Amino acid sequence: MQLIPTYQPLPVAFERGEGVWLWDSQGKKYLDALGGIAVCCLGHAHPEVTEAICQQAGQLLHTSNLYQIDLQIALAQKLTQMSSMQQVFFSNSGAEANEAAIKLARLYGHAQGIDSPNVIVMEGAFHGRTMATLTASANRKVQAGFEPLVPGFIRVPYDDITALQNIAQNSDDVVAVLIEPIQGESGVRTPNADYLEKVSALCKQNNWLLMIDEIQSGMGRTGKFFAYQHHAVEPDVVTVAKGLANGVPIGACLIGGKAADLFQPGKHGSTFGGNPLACRAALTVVDIIEQQQLCQQAAARGEYLFAALRDALADNPMVQEIRGQGLMIGIELDRPCAELAKIGLEQGLLFSITAERVIRLLPALIIQQEEVDLIIERLLACLDEYAGHY
């Protein structure tokens, strides 16, 4: 194999998709409850997105950020409108969007006269695999072998406001808090209902930037366009990627409040970031989510799925907890369960296992009621088979 073995893919290759369905090279049909890890929020081969990509590919792919890109400006206007932020920097991925946020935090700190600014990050966090975002993450498996890591981060327990308050009382070099409203990679962990409000208030009191990573939880997945919009918070930085263009690579760092106007010409850049193709695809995705009220649909479908799973699994001794919001759901078992993903292939259902023992469901926002019922039916069959063998 000529591929560098950084992945361990499951033994299946897909050839085509339509909506929430995928077909493999043997013609077998699968219900996709993972959506490319929260990327294909409108499902596969969405006709309007396909048409927009084809039209743009035949018109103009790339000119570089040496020149004005009207589609980029239009997308920035749409995203700032949806978020109440002020400015946008476009990149190619979520990791790059978070990298921009971290650079912003350091710029902000130096502007305050802090020589060695620190960013508070959370236990259980995942922010990417570049050196800075790898350090900001809290997974020793993905950090191991890449030391020395990047300095300038302080880690605290997630959903522990007292830990943040202690740092505020004892440190004068903190400039920002980087946080996920729901931690996806560490098992779809949701904080207490008032946690984000308390974090926001603490940031205001201490003149810290509040930087919210919405890469997995954004784009309508939780029932709001951004998950932080379920709470009374005012972030200074919001990062988004994954579902932004339904599979075309793009990331965005949205900036407002105390972080506005920190980036000036020459301070940051990207060759491909915000190119016409990616922006055209993203504009189409955002318009569809808004026009078809898919945030509201995600909330309703997610509530139904959550309640049905809770009832169906109430007496299952393996199930420890079901948690999440909207169409971002985790089912924690009492044991490591990597083999479940392979059983899912046999049952024609795609999902992932994260944090070793959490079944993660991230279906497309367009999913219909009968398809939600099929997810439940097939997942229950997977768990029954797993219980009989492991």
Side-chain angles (χ1 to χ4, degrees):
M1 174 186 278
Q2 271 98 32
L3 291 173
I4 295 174
T6 51
Y7 306 105
Q8 292 180 306
L10 290 167
V12 63
F14 299 109
E15 289 194 341
R16 69 183 182 91
E18 182 179 339
V20 297
W21 297 94
L22 284 166
W23 286 262
D24 69 14
S25 53
Q26 306 304 308
K28 182 177 177 179
K29 185 179 179 182
Y30 301 78
L31 176 55
D32 186 1
L34 184 62
I37 317 180
V39 169
C40 300
C41 63
L42 300 183
H44 302 284
H46 191 285
E48 292 178 56
V49 178
T50 300
E51 182 181 6
I53 291 171
C54 290
Q55 286 182 354
Q56 192 59 45
Q59 183 175 338
L60 185 66
L61 288 177
H62 178 78
T63 58
S64 90
N65 286 297
L66 293 174
Y67 311 101
Q68 180 172 303
I69 301 173
D70 289 342
L71 286 166
Q72 189 180 100
I73 294 170
L75 179 58
Q77 290 173 338
K78 178 64 74 171
L79 290 175
T80 53
Q81 171 193 332
M82 302 289 280
S83 63
S84 299
M85 303 299 279
Q86 297 168 243
Q87 300 170 317
V88 184
F89 176 84
F90 289 109
S91 58
N92 310 287
S93 67
E96 290 174 74
N98 281 334
E99 193 80 23
I102 292 165
K103 289 179 71 174
L104 270 172
R106 291 193 170 189
L107 269 178
Y108 176 73
H110 288 298
Q112 308 299 311
I114 300 172
D115 292 333
S116 298
N118 279 295
V119 176
I120 297 175
V121 292
M122 305 295 149
E123 292 180 5
F126 185 83
H127 298 294
R129 291 178 182 266
T130 64
M131 283 306 299
T133 58
L134 186 74
T135 307
S137 299
N139 187 327
R140 279 303 301 157
K141 288 184 179 180
V142 300
Q143 291 175 340
F146 298 109
E147 298 85 355
L149 299 176
V150 177
F153 296 96
I154 300 172
R155 196 171 309 283
V156 301
Y158 187 62
D159 199 21
D160 185 343
I161 196 64
T162 302
L164 279 173
Q165 291 168 338
N166 289 338
I167 291 176
Q169 293 170 3
N170 297 290
S171 178
D172 58 4
D173 57 4
V174 171
V175 297
V177 174
L178 176 59
I179 188 170
E180 298 158 278
I182 299 174
Q183 291 189 330
E185 296 303 314
S186 63
V188 193
R189 296 175 62 205
T190 56
N192 286 316
D194 62 351
Y195 175 63
L196 281 182
E197 281 91 344
K198 290 180 177 179
V199 173
S200 179
L202 198 61
C203 286
K204 287 185 177 180
Q205 292 167 15
N206 292 277
N207 207 30
W208 299 342
L209 298 181
L210 175 58
M211 307 196 303
I212 299 184
D213 179 342
E214 290 271 6
I215 288 161
Q216 191 165 144
S217 58
M219 299 304 298
R221 179 148 300 278
T222 67
K224 299 281 188 182
F225 195 78
F226 293 112
Y228 77 84
Q229 292 171 330
H230 291 282
H231 309 274
V233 302
E234 297 177 5
D236 300 287
V237 178
V238 176
T239 55
V240 63
K242 285 192 179 291
L244 181 53
N246 209 54
V248 177
I250 186 172
C253 181
L254 284 59
I255 304 165
K258 297 184 291 292
D261 299 319
L262 286 170
F263 275 154
Q264 295 296 319
K267 286 294 185 182
H268 199 41
S270 171
T271 297
F272 293 106
N275 69 51
L277 180 69
C279 287
R280 177 73 180 277
L283 269 170
T284 305
V285 169
V286 174
D287 284 343
I288 291 170
I289 290 174
E290 190 174 27
Q291 292 166 8
Q292 298 184 9
Q293 298 184 325
L294 293 182
C295 294
Q296 295 91 322
Q297 178 164 305
R301 298 280 190 265
E303 184 178 353
Y304 175 87
L305 176 58
F306 191 94
L309 288 171
R310 183 187 58 209
D311 292 344
L313 298 173
D315 298 323
N316 190 310
M318 290 190 299
V319 176
Q320 300 293 291
E321 186 179 13
I322 303 172
R323 54 183 178 257
Q325 192 166 26
L327 291 173
M328 185 176 184
I329 293 176
I331 305 165
E332 183 172 357
L333 303 189
D334 62 356
R335 68 199 74 177
C337 56
E339 292 299 318
L340 257 173
K342 293 180 181 178
I343 296 174
L345 292 182
E346 297 170 9
Q347 295 288 341
L349 180 66
L350 305 181
F351 52 85
S352 72
I353 305 300
T354 190
E356 296 187 341
R357 59 183 64 205
V358 179
I359 301 165
R360 179 171 49 172
L361 303 175
L362 300 164
L365 311 188
I366 61 165
I367 194 164
Q368 299 301 304
Q369 190 72 49
E370 59 270 22
E371 294 161 341
V372 174
D373 288 331
L374 271 176
I375 289 177
I376 298 163
E377 176 186 318
R378 294 185 183 188
L379 184 59
L380 293 177
C382 290
L383 287 168
D384 285 345
E385 183 175 343
Y386 182 73
H389 289 84
Y390 298 92

